[in-house]
Amino acid sequence: MEKILEGVRVLELGQVLAGPFAGAILADLGAEVVKIERVEGGDDARHMGPAFRQGDALNFHIFNRGKKSVAIDLKSAEGLAAFDRLAAEADIFIHNARPGVTKALGIDGQTLCNRYPRLIYCEISAFGHTGPMSMLPGYEPLVQAFSGLSSINGGPEDPPMRTGASVCDQGSGMWAVIGALALLQRRHLTGKGGVVSTSLLETALVWTGQKADAYANEGRLPDRHRSGHPGFVPYESFDTADAPLLICCGNDRLFAKLARELGRSDWIDDERFASNRARLANKTSLLAELAPLLRGQSRAKWLDRFRSAGVPCAPVHTVPEAIAHPQVQALGMLQAVPGENFRLTALPLSIDGERPAHRSVAPRLGEHNVKYGVPQTVGSGHV
């Protein structure tokens, strides 16, 4: 596909996930992404797990495809000079360095944007750019716990638990990209760059926004439903004769279709179940009648019947089941890495009907120093 961001140069000082994910998005969209790494060891993600390819862990390959690697010692004068040369030619700078690191190095947002007014500076932190905890580092599970996100996962009797995906890290990378693209448009109009600040905590608070807003405005603490929903019944996973099936009746019309297909048309006129609000008030009674019916047939049979009747439903897949499904295969989300014998998940969007493709394998540490005019070894040490 056309490289939408061709001609845009991104400088990334990223570690592990949030910053590198932002860089990976921009790389897939066609930007030239130059990843700055420590001379000793590089991005910690290179060592997050066993070696997968080129001595680096799979996690590193996932979030650093399509980039160039330049190894620089930012604690040396030579390293800072090399960084400054790269920053002078960059359109976007992204970092998720520990709080205080960029300030100590003299490459914080205010300093760099004063020096290069067209630069779009994106900073990702754990707890935000202001406030009493702004200088604290943090990780995904810490922020999920702190934000209340862990408290809304699972069922009523479960302890607080983190989500299986790193939604705060990857979400923060997405917000950084959104902010960078917004400032690219402003710069197109005014010639001025600026500073984008986002954090894992702010991202987590957005993901919990429905629950927090209900508490802030109505005093309602969130119920915990596992697969269920606080506003609709039935709207959750049920056991069938062989495997779980999720059913979503988001209105009374859909519930009526479900009732007819189950041979329980009497539910439609039952005052306990006739409306969604009535079903919410009588959820326990309804599920006590519904669950045994669903256990009477296999998931495949219910899927056929419900889909034919127009009842929204889906199998609760394992990961292997999901990626093997014809719908997922048709979307082409798993894409080959050029020149390699493995595949990685692609961006979840298409432009003019075409999904952005992986451009190259993740770089070796310092592989592109010479390309960008940086000696192969600049000082010794690390950020």
Side-chain angles (χ1 to χ4, degrees):
M1 68 176 292
E2 179 185 358
K3 296 176 182 177
I4 301 298
L5 295 181
E6 188 169 11
V8 174
R9 177 177 286 188
V10 178
L11 203 56
E12 178 210 300
L13 182 62
Q15 280 275 11
V16 182
L17 215 168
F21 185 54
I25 294 171
L26 294 168
D28 281 355
L29 290 173
E32 177 186 7
V33 180
V34 182
K35 183 180 181 70
I36 298 172
E37 300 190 69
R38 296 176 298 186
V39 172
E40 297 178 357
D43 184 342
D44 288 337
R46 289 185 181 273
H47 317 288
M48 282 181 61
F52 174 71
R53 295 291 190 280
Q54 301 177 355
D56 296 317
L58 176 58
N59 267 322
F60 181 79
H61 283 275
I62 292 170
F63 296 110
N64 293 281
R65 68 219 184 213
K67 301 178 186 178
K68 315 296 184 185
S69 172
V70 173
I72 297 178
D73 175 16
L74 291 178
K75 290 189 174 181
S76 70
E78 297 88 349
L80 279 175
F83 171 87
D84 194 64
R85 290 195 300 272
L86 292 170
E89 299 176 352
D91 296 289
I92 299 170
F93 174 57
I94 296 171
H95 81 79
N96 64 325
R98 297 190 312 275
V101 166
T102 56
K103 184 75 171 178
L105 294 172
I107 58 173
D108 55 283
Q110 182 177 351
T111 299
L112 270 190
C113 287
N114 285 342
R115 194 180 306 160
Y116 306 114
R118 289 178 55 81
L119 181 67
I120 295 165
Y121 186 105
C122 301
E123 56 185 11
I124 303 171
S125 62
F127 293 100
H129 66 286
T130 188
M133 297 178 66
S134 61
M135 297 304 292
L136 294 181
Y139 292 93
E140 176 82 26
L142 301 180
V143 173
Q144 287 200 24
F146 182 87
S147 66
L149 179 57
S150 296
S151 76
I152 67 174
N153 295 328
E157 307 304 321
D158 294 325
M161 57 184 68
R162 65 161 289 177
T163 62
S166 294
V167 294
C168 301
D169 266 315
Q170 290 186 257
S172 298
M174 290 173 60
W175 295 123
V177 170
I178 291 168
L181 296 178
L183 284 189
L184 268 180
Q185 172 63 12
R186 185 180 78 175
R187 193 182 74 176
H188 175 70
L189 299 173
T190 68
K192 180 183 178 182
V195 178
V196 175
S197 300
T198 188
S199 68
L200 276 66
L201 176 57
E202 290 165 277
T203 298
L205 293 172
V206 165
W207 299 154
T208 60
Q210 285 180 295
K211 312 297 185 182
D213 292 351
Y215 176 72
N217 291 288
E218 300 175 343
R220 289 191 289 114
L221 288 170
D223 295 324
R224 304 175 72 195
H225 296 274
R226 291 203 176 122
S227 64
H229 192 283
F232 297 113
V233 173
Y235 203 96
E236 58 191 271
S237 175
F238 297 91
D239 288 332
T240 68
D242 58 354
L245 174 70
L246 198 137
I247 297 171
C248 294
C249 291
N251 56 52
D252 295 338
R253 299 179 302 281
L254 294 173
F255 176 72
K257 292 179 179 180
L258 174 71
R260 293 188 190 100
E261 194 59 35
L262 289 169
R264 293 301 307 267
S265 296
D266 57 298
W267 286 348
I268 299 171
D269 298 317
D270 189 323
E271 64 179 12
R272 297 173 302 163
F273 310 142
S275 71
N276 184 61
R277 286 179 176 172
R279 292 192 296 277
L280 284 168
N282 295 281
K283 179 177 179 178
T284 300
S285 297
L286 176 60
L287 297 194
E289 296 186 40
L290 174 60
L293 294 174
L294 292 170
R295 288 196 290 267
Q297 292 191 33
S298 69
R299 180 169 73 183
K301 288 183 178 179
W302 284 126
L303 279 169
D304 287 341
R305 291 181 61 179
F306 290 156
R307 285 174 176 168
S308 296
V311 177
C313 59
V316 181
H317 278 150
T318 63
V319 171
E321 287 173 332
I323 64 175
H325 193 278
Q327 177 60 30
V328 176
Q329 294 285 319
L331 287 170
M333 284 293 291
L334 273 173
Q335 291 190 353
V337 176
E340 302 292 330
N341 62 350
F342 66 93
R343 300 177 296 164
L344 297 175
T345 301
L347 292 186
L349 59 87
S350 296
I351 297 173
D352 297 330
E354 190 171 351
R355 190 176 308 284
H358 301 313
R359 298 168 61 194
S360 65
V361 71
R364 294 173 184 253
L365 178 60
E367 180 180 348
H368 301 95
N369 277 45
V370 172
K371 174 180 173 66
Y372 293 100
V374 179
Q376 285 288 5
T377 302
V378 181
S380 59
H382 55 275
V383 177

